[in-house]
Amino acid sequence: MMVKKPQCCQNRRGTMAGVFVVLLPLLFPTLFTPLSHASPLFSEWKAPKPRHISLLRSALQRESSNGEQSDLWSPLEDQGWRPCFESVNAPSLPEKSQGYIQVFLDGGLNQQRMGICDAVAVAKILNATLVIPYLEVNPVWQDSSSFMDIFDVDHFIDVLKDDISIVKELPDEFYWSTREYYATAIRDTRVKTAPIHASANWYLENVLPVLQSYGIAAISPFSHRLSFDNLPRDIQQLRCKVNFKALAFVPHIRELGDALVSRLRYPHGDSEKHSTDFLQEITGVGDKQRAGKFVVLHLRFDKDMAAHSACDFGGGKAEKLALAKYRQAIWQGRVLNSQFTDEELRNQGRCPLTPEEIGLLLAALGFDNNTRLYLASHKVYGGEARISTLRELFPLMEEKKSLASSGERAHIKGKASLLAALDYYVSMHSDIFISASPGNMHNALVGHRTFENLKTIRPNMALLGQLFLNKNISWSAFQQAVVEGHQNRHGQLRLRKPKKSIYTYPAPDCMCHA
C-alpha cells in the first residue's frame, strides 16, 4: 500500500527546488554566460556602454542657460518663396469619367502619403474617378489601418472636388474588384507593370485602354510609379495641393496632437493631465504663462534601420550576430552596405545616428539641458537602454506616453500608422525639427516644413561620421566643427533637382517667388 506524503513536506520540497533554480545562475555563473551572450534577444535590450565617453562627459557639464535665447530658436527669415498651387487656372472636371482607378499602396505612413498624391495625379491625367486608395498591411509594423482611419476622407474629397472625382467605394457592378480578387490569379483589369517613375504618356498608352475596355483599372504595386519630371505644371501643382492641403489627419489625431503641443509649450499648465481617461482640454493657459519652445527629434533607430545599415553600434559580438541574422532573414543578405567596413560607412555618412550621437549633436549645436525635447519614434532598437544616454543629456525629454494618459492613447495603441500620424502632427507644430537619419518621415517633414518656412535642422551625416571616428577629439573641437558644418542646414530652401521628389523639395513646383 502506497503511503501518501504529507502536504507540508511536498510544499517544503517545492519551495527548496524553487530557491535552487533562482540561485543556480549565481552559484554557477559560467554555465549561463555563453547562453546570454549568444542570445540576440538578450543583447538587443542590454544597455551598451557609451561609445564617446569623453565627449559625453563634456556635454553633461555644459552650462545651462535660459534655453530659448539662442539664435537657434530664431524663426527662419523670409526666403522670398510662397505656396502657389492656388494660383493655377480654375480646374474643371471632365464631362465624362473614363472609369475607376484603384491603387494599392504599401510601405509606411509617409510612403503611402506620397502614393496617395501620385494616385490623384494619375486619375487627373486619365480623366478617371479615383477610388479612395487601399493601404496594404505593413509587413514590419503589421498595421491594418485604412485611409479613413488615418486621414479625414471628407476633407480630402472636398478639397479636390473641382480637380477630380473621388468615391469612397466602388459601385455595385464592380464589387468583385478587391485585393483578394487580384491576389489569386492574373486579371485583365490589374496593371502590375507600371515602371518606377513612369511618365504621363505611359499611363495614357497602357492604363487608359484598360479603363476604356473594362471601366476599371487596378494598379498594384503603385509606390513611386509616377515621374517627378516632365509633367504639366498643373499636374505637379495638383500633387502639391494633395500633399499640403487635402491630406489632413482624422479629428481625434489632431485633437490629441493639439493637446500634446499645448503640454509641451505650457509644461506647468496641465498638472492633472494623467488623472482621467479622456482627452483633456487646456484653456486659458496662455494667459498665465508665456508659451515655451520645443524641439521634435525623430529618432529613426529601429531594428530594420540598424540591420540594413550594416554599421557597428557598440553592442559587441552578440549584437553584430543578432543584426546579421535579422539581415539574412529579411533581405537574404542582399544589403549593399554589408560589403563595406564600419569605418568606410561612417566616413560616407551611411550610419544612422544612435541616441547617444544625436544627443551629442544637439548639445554641440547649443541646446542645453533645459531644452524641451519631444521624441518622435515608434520602436527604438534597444528600447530605453539605448535612449538613457539621450535622456541624461536632455532630462526634459517627453514622448507620447509621458504626455498623454493611457485613455487618451487608447485609439492609437498598437497602430503604427496612427502613432506616426500623431508624431507628424506634433512635428509640424514644433519650433525646430531634426531627424537622426534620412528616411521617409525625414523627407516628408523637410518638404512640408520648407513649404511652411519652418526651421528644420538637417544633420551633416558624413561630417558627423568622421567626427565620431576620432576618439581623441576634444569637446571644443567637436563643437566648433559641428556648428560650422551645420551653418546652412537649418531649413534654408533648396530648389528641386531632376529626379528628386517634389514632396521633399517643393520649390519651384509647389512654390513661387513672392
Side-chain angles (χ1 to χ4, degrees), residues 24-37:
L24 192 60
L26 300 177
L27 297 173
F28 305 100
T30 56
L31 293 176
F32 292 84
T33 301
L35 178 63
S36 64
H37 282 281

Side-chain angles (χ1 to χ4, degrees), residues 214-273:
Y214 301 97
I216 187 170
I219 310 175
S220 175
F222 186 71
S223 296
H224 307 296
R225 290 313 197 271
L226 183 62
S227 173
F228 289 118
D229 301 309
N230 302 317
L231 289 174
R233 182 166 176 76
D234 65 316
I235 296 296
Q236 294 287 67
Q237 293 200 332
L238 178 58
R239 294 163 99 176
C240 304
K241 185 176 181 179
V242 180
N243 192 40
F244 300 125
K245 187 174 180 182
L247 283 176
F249 296 122
V250 289
H252 73 85
I253 290 294
R254 302 199 303 267
E255 291 167 7
L256 182 53
D258 286 335
L260 298 194
V261 170
S262 184
R263 290 166 190 174
L264 286 162
R265 294 210 179 281
Y266 305 102
H268 306 297
D270 190 26
S271 59
E272 303 297 323
K273 66 172 179 279

Side-chain angles (χ1 to χ4, degrees), residues 254-364:
R254 302 199 303 267
E255 291 167 7
L256 182 53
D258 286 335
L260 298 194
V261 170
S262 184
R263 290 166 190 174
L264 286 162
R265 294 210 179 281
Y266 305 102
H268 306 297
D270 190 26
S271 59
E272 303 297 323
K273 66 172 179 279
H274 296 299
S275 64
T276 62
D277 288 334
F278 58 91
L279 188 62
Q280 301 186 20
E281 296 182 0
I282 306 172
T283 58
V285 179
D287 297 331
K288 300 176 183 177
Q289 57 175 301
R290 183 175 60 88
K293 294 179 170 60
F294 71 96
V295 182
V296 167
L297 166 62
H298 179 231
L299 186 56
R300 189 173 183 238
F301 195 71
D302 54 54
K303 191 169 185 176
D304 268 40
M305 184 76 171
H308 195 274
S309 71
C311 299
D312 180 5
F313 298 108
K317 292 182 180 179
E319 182 176 81
K320 289 182 181 179
L321 176 62
L323 292 178
K325 287 182 175 179
Y326 186 81
R327 188 160 52 243
Q328 182 65 32
I330 301 298
W331 299 287
Q332 288 74 52
R334 296 191 297 270
V335 176
L336 177 64
N337 285 359
S338 60
Q339 301 175 16
F340 299 94
T341 66
D342 180 73
E343 183 174 352
E344 289 171 332
L345 292 172
R346 292 188 181 279
N347 272 313
Q348 296 168 21
R350 294 192 185 184
C351 293
L353 298 176
T354 64
E356 175 191 359
E357 289 168 345
I358 194 68
L360 291 171
L361 167 62
L362 290 170

Side-chain angles (χ1 to χ4, degrees), residues 51-60 62 353-367 393-394 459-486:
R51 304 193 75 189
H52 314 288
I53 190 67
S54 177
L55 292 177
L56 182 60
R57 286 199 190 102
S58 298
L60 288 170
R62 69 196 190 281
L353 298 176
T354 64
E356 175 191 359
E357 289 168 345
I358 194 68
L360 291 171
L361 167 62
L362 290 170
L365 285 171
F367 295 103
L393 285 166
F394 295 95
N460 188 330
M461 301 296 288
L463 170 67
L464 292 168
Q466 294 160 19
L467 292 176
F468 286 128
L469 282 172
N470 184 353
K471 300 302 180 183
N472 297 316
I473 191 170
S474 67
W475 175 253
S476 59
F478 175 78
Q479 188 173 32
Q480 181 179 351
V482 165
V483 170
E484 291 178 355
H486 289 82

Side-chain angles (χ1 to χ4, degrees), residues 103-222:
V103 295
F104 298 86
L105 302 175
D106 57 8
L109 172 70
N110 294 292
Q111 188 172 336
Q112 290 171 340
R113 184 187 184 103
M114 291 182 278
I116 293 165
C117 300
D118 289 350
V120 171
V122 167
K124 183 69 172 179
I125 290 168
L126 298 172
N127 285 334
T129 298
L130 178 68
V131 184
I132 289 296
Y134 178 91
L135 308 186
E136 302 274 14
V137 176
N138 188 291
V140 176
W141 308 123
Q142 292 297 313
D143 188 349
S144 58
S145 297
S146 69
F147 182 104
M148 296 183 193
D149 292 329
I150 304 168
F151 300 106
D152 187 332
V153 67
D154 293 325
H155 174 82
F156 179 75
I157 293 172
D158 182 64
V159 170
L160 300 172
K161 65 180 183 296
D162 294 326
D163 298 286
I164 65 167
S165 295
I166 303 174
V167 294
K168 296 179 182 179
E169 297 178 348
L170 283 167
D172 292 342
E173 62 183 295
F174 296 111
Y175 75 92
W176 45 266
S177 187
T178 63
R179 184 69 184 84
E180 293 71 25
Y181 174 76
Y182 295 110
T184 55
I186 296 174
R187 309 293 186 183
D188 291 337
T189 52
R190 179 186 175 185
V191 179
K192 60 183 297 185
T193 56
I196 299 292
H197 303 314
S199 67
N201 283 339
W202 187 92
Y203 284 96
L204 291 170
E205 294 170 1
N206 295 274
V207 181
L208 185 57
V210 178
L211 282 174
Q212 293 171 335
S213 297
Y214 301 97
I216 187 170
I219 310 175
S220 175
F222 186 71

